[in-house]
Amino acid sequence: MSADPMSSDLTVYYDGGCPLCRAEIGHYRDCRGAERIAFVDVGRDAPADGLGPDLDRGDALRRFHVRGADGRLVSGAAAFARLWRVLPNWRWLGRLVELRVFGLRPILPVAEAAYRLFLPLRPRLARLITRRHR
């Protein structure tokens, strides 16, 4: 079960219609610390209310988004870093991605570039997963 977005440290928006996304979110839900996270399925059949004024369903389906308890919405690699920082066994990776060196975050832009390269592959990977499970 997912935590209530109003009382969570983090709200994760994911595409429940994507088998790849479901598998990944399923992994995170099983992690220690997941009780502090609200997981919101924004898939095509899920109600769109509750996403907030700065996030619509189309954007939520195109990129990974999280919202912190402060209400700030982030997406892409920065969103993964925020998620990982909430989960104790993944915290090291979140810190690494967000690492500041001389006031700069040198790893975050590289992680974002890798994420953007991955996005066009996501539908193909989802289809492969679907075929494999049939």
Side-chain angles (χ1 to χ4, degrees):
M1 176 147 192
S2 185
D4 174 9
M6 298 304 289
S7 64
S8 300
D9 291 351
L10 194 70
T11 301
V12 171
Y13 302 98
Y14 72 99
D15 181 358
C18 167
L20 181 65
C21 302
R22 280 195 315 267
E24 185 170 17
I25 293 302
H27 168 76
Y28 293 134
R29 282 183 180 201
D30 290 341
C31 289
R32 188 167 50 97
E35 67 280 355
R36 298 170 43 206
I37 301 169
F39 295 93
V40 176
D41 178 357
V42 296
R44 298 189 195 287
D45 297 328
D49 54 333
L51 299 182
D54 54 349
L55 180 62
D56 66 35
R57 177 178 282 160
D59 288 339
L61 290 170
R62 280 187 287 281
R63 284 178 61 88
F64 183 67
H65 291 77
V66 302
R67 186 181 307 281
D70 60 0
R72 190 168 145 243
L73 184 71
V74 294
S75 70
F80 278 101
R82 291 282 305 270
L83 168 60
W84 296 331
R85 288 193 62 160
V86 174
L87 301 171
N89 291 339
W90 287 89
R91 191 167 290 143
W92 67 272
L93 186 55
R95 288 180 178 155
L96 179 67
V97 171
E98 293 181 333
L99 178 71
R100 287 188 184 270
V101 178
F102 302 114
L104 301 173
R105 289 185 173 166
I107 298 171
L108 186 58
V110 173
E112 179 63 24
Y115 178 75
R116 287 177 187 231
L117 288 171
F118 165 78
L119 284 176
L121 300 175
R122 185 182 126 186
R124 290 183 190 141
L125 291 172
R127 281 192 299 273
L128 284 172
I129 289 171
T130 301
R131 283 186 204 138
R132 189 173 192 210
H133 286 191
R134 284 186 184 163

